[in-house]
Amino acid sequence: MTQRLLITLGLLAMVTLPSCHPKTEAKVEEKPHYEVTVPLQKDTQVPQKYVAQIHSMRRIELRSLENGYLEKVYVDEGQRVKKGQMMFKLKANVYEAELKKYEAEARAANIEYQNTKNLADNDIVSKTELAVAYAKLEKARAEVALAKTHLGFTDIRAPFNGLMDHLEAREGSLLEEGELLTTLSDTSKMWVYFNVSESEYLNYATRADKKNLKNVSLEMANGELFKYPGVIQTIEGEFDNETGNIEMRATFPNPEGLLRHGETGTVIMNFPYKNALMIPQKATFEILDKKFVFVVDEHHKVSQREIVVAEELPHLYIVKSGLTSKDKVLLEGLRKVRDGQEIEVEYEDPKEVYGHLTEVHAE
């Protein structure tokens, strides 16, 4: 009986033990979930920046036109002067004396001429003597005019409205003819010079809408934008063989006198792009200096595709080739997916994606 009982208990254990283990179900692998969008297509502008040198429209050196002592200085360094304003005066005693001398000689020559004329009218002297007397009078008058000119050179006035630089001479200085007194700059308009490469010059010169490109902006040294726009007016005649660049000149109005001669800045030229295809930079990755994106087809399958970038904007690329406006581009998980993988996608409107990137950039 004992043996039968043990056999029976063994059989029951064999039947009940498998039923104690839960049944295992086959796990279904979930597909990863990522955001996609299509390229944003719209007209845009791409700013090109060039380092620039700022010059005043007119800048001249004021020099002494005569020898003598600098008697009076009427202006100061950095002062704005108006056309015709007295700036310097040389000691004029010698030139005043010379003028009085020549004026006296001119009066004597005039008296001699009048006497000779009376005699010639009465046929007492010949017409030749009258002509000689008249020539002496004309010479004396010319010497008076020359003396007045020399005397006028002792008063040095501003030839135009402008801004003074350093004073190179002080009151009481003995000046030689041609000695520098100061520099005067006309800052009502500023000439801004910048260099562009040969390819950039050709892009500018061959565009049908290059008239629109003549309007440029100026970023000052502190990073702020000068509030008055400028216009490209001249292009230099030849390229620099050493740098391969050519110089352009833009003119900017400067009514408030903020810009000064010798400043530096950055000229900004905006190149328009019609129907540009733009994608976020974060949607791209590089392999051996080439840029790629992941495109998702209608079956949610990922495929790697090379693109060519035309221009770079803040957080965006303008795509030259490799994409169409209908291609769905993967926005995230670029390091997690592989070519040919199937994924679940959530579509994001490109305007919202672009707007979000702009807000992030502004912050």
Side-chain angles (χ1 to χ4, degrees):
M1 289 293 292
T2 302
Q3 187 176 3
R4 289 181 179 178
L5 181 60
L6 289 173
I7 294 172
T8 303
L9 290 173
L11 292 172
L12 289 172
M14 292 178 63
V15 172
T16 56
L17 280 175
S19 63
C20 293
H21 296 282
K23 296 182 179 180
T24 57
E25 297 180 359
K27 291 184 178 180
V28 178
E29 185 179 355
E30 294 184 2
K31 296 179 182 179
H33 192 93
Y34 298 112
E35 292 181 354
V36 297
T37 190
V38 295
L40 178 67
Q41 188 169 23
K42 61 178 292 188
D43 295 343
T44 189
Q45 290 185 336
V46 177
Q48 297 287 350
K49 295 186 176 184
Y50 306 95
V51 176
Q53 292 287 333
I54 301 172
H55 292 207
S56 56
M57 184 176 65
R58 283 186 291 180
R59 186 171 185 270
I60 63 168
E61 294 177 338
L62 289 178
R63 296 180 177 272
S64 172
L65 297 176
E66 295 290 350
N67 299 324
Y69 286 97
L70 183 56
E71 183 177 11
K72 186 69 177 175
V73 177
Y74 295 94
V75 289
D76 200 359
E77 297 174 335
Q79 179 179 338
R80 292 192 177 277
V81 298
K82 294 184 178 181
K83 182 178 180 180
Q85 180 178 340
M86 178 73 81
M87 298 180 68
F88 303 95
K89 184 175 181 60
L90 275 65
K91 199 169 184 64
N93 294 357
V94 174
Y95 302 103
E96 289 173 350
E98 285 185 351
L99 177 59
K100 289 179 180 179
K101 171 189 173 183
Y102 289 125
E103 285 178 339
E105 291 178 354
R107 287 194 296 270
N110 185 50
I111 292 171
E112 182 180 351
Y113 169 71
Q114 294 298 334
N115 290 335
T116 306
K117 186 176 184 302
N118 291 333
L119 294 173
D121 290 342
N122 295 318
D123 294 328
I124 297 175
V125 298
S126 66
K127 292 182 178 180
T128 301
E129 290 185 32
L130 178 61
V132 171
Y134 182 73
K136 290 180 180 180
L137 175 60
E138 288 296 302
K139 178 184 177 183
R141 287 174 176 173
E143 289 175 339
V144 169
L146 182 60
K148 286 181 178 180
T149 300
H150 282 289
L151 181 60
F153 287 161
T154 63
D155 293 340
I156 301 174
R157 300 177 181 272
F160 51 78
N161 296 344
L163 182 67
M164 275 189 54
D165 199 0
H166 293 294
L167 286 171
E168 302 295 340
R170 300 294 187 270
E171 289 185 7
S173 300
L174 178 61
L175 302 177
E176 296 182 358
E177 183 179 343
E179 189 166 343
L180 179 64
L181 297 172
T182 189
T183 303
L184 186 65
S185 300
D186 180 358
T187 58
S188 59
K189 293 181 180 179
M190 304 302 288
W191 284 349
V192 179
Y193 294 88
F194 60 100
N195 293 315
V196 302
S197 66
E198 186 174 353
S199 61
E200 290 170 326
Y201 161 76
L202 292 173
N203 289 339
Y204 169 82
T206 57
R207 289 183 72 110
D209 58 347
K210 67 179 179 180
K211 289 184 178 180
N212 299 328
L213 297 178
K214 289 187 175 182
N215 298 320
V216 293
S217 303
L218 177 65
E219 183 181 290
M220 297 180 290
N222 62 354
E224 294 184 5
L225 202 63
F226 187 57
K227 69 180 183 179
Y228 298 101
V231 179
I232 296 176
Q233 291 187 325
T234 63
I235 302 175
E236 201 170 276
E238 59 185 33
F239 283 87
D240 188 322
N241 291 332
E242 294 183 359
T243 64
N245 294 334
I246 193 169
E247 190 173 62
M248 291 185 173
R249 190 191 79 199
T251 302
F252 286 81
N254 190 34
E256 298 170 8
L258 179 61
L259 301 180
R260 302 288 182 98
H261 178 87
E263 280 187 84
T264 59
T266 303
V267 169
I268 303 174
M269 187 187 304
N270 291 312
F271 285 85
Y273 272 80
K274 295 288 186 181
N275 295 321
L277 280 181
M278 294 180 286
I279 61 171
Q281 292 186 17
K282 69 175 185 177
T284 67
F285 59 96
E286 292 188 6
I287 300 177
L288 298 177
D289 296 332
K290 294 183 179 180
K291 286 186 169 54
F292 295 85
V293 296
F294 281 119
V295 177
V296 182
D297 63 16
E298 63 273 14
H299 303 296
H300 294 185
K301 185 176 290 187
V302 175
S303 61
Q304 179 177 304
R305 187 181 299 179
E306 182 184 352
I307 62 170
V308 177
V309 173
E311 297 289 348
E312 181 177 349
L313 295 172
H315 299 289
L316 295 170
Y317 285 133
I318 296 179
V319 179
K320 183 178 181 181
S321 62
L323 287 177
T324 69
S325 59
K326 297 180 180 180
D327 287 326
K328 291 182 179 179
V329 178
L330 192 64
L331 289 175
E332 57 183 358
L334 274 63
R335 296 185 179 181
K336 298 178 181 179
V337 300
R338 62 183 182 276
D339 198 30
Q341 182 180 355
E342 290 186 9
I343 62 172
E344 292 294 333
V345 299
E346 180 179 346
Y347 177 77
E348 291 287 336
D349 187 274
K351 292 182 180 179
E352 294 183 1
V353 174
Y354 177 83
H356 177 67
L357 291 173
T358 305
E359 291 172 3
V360 171
H361 178 64
E363 292 174 0

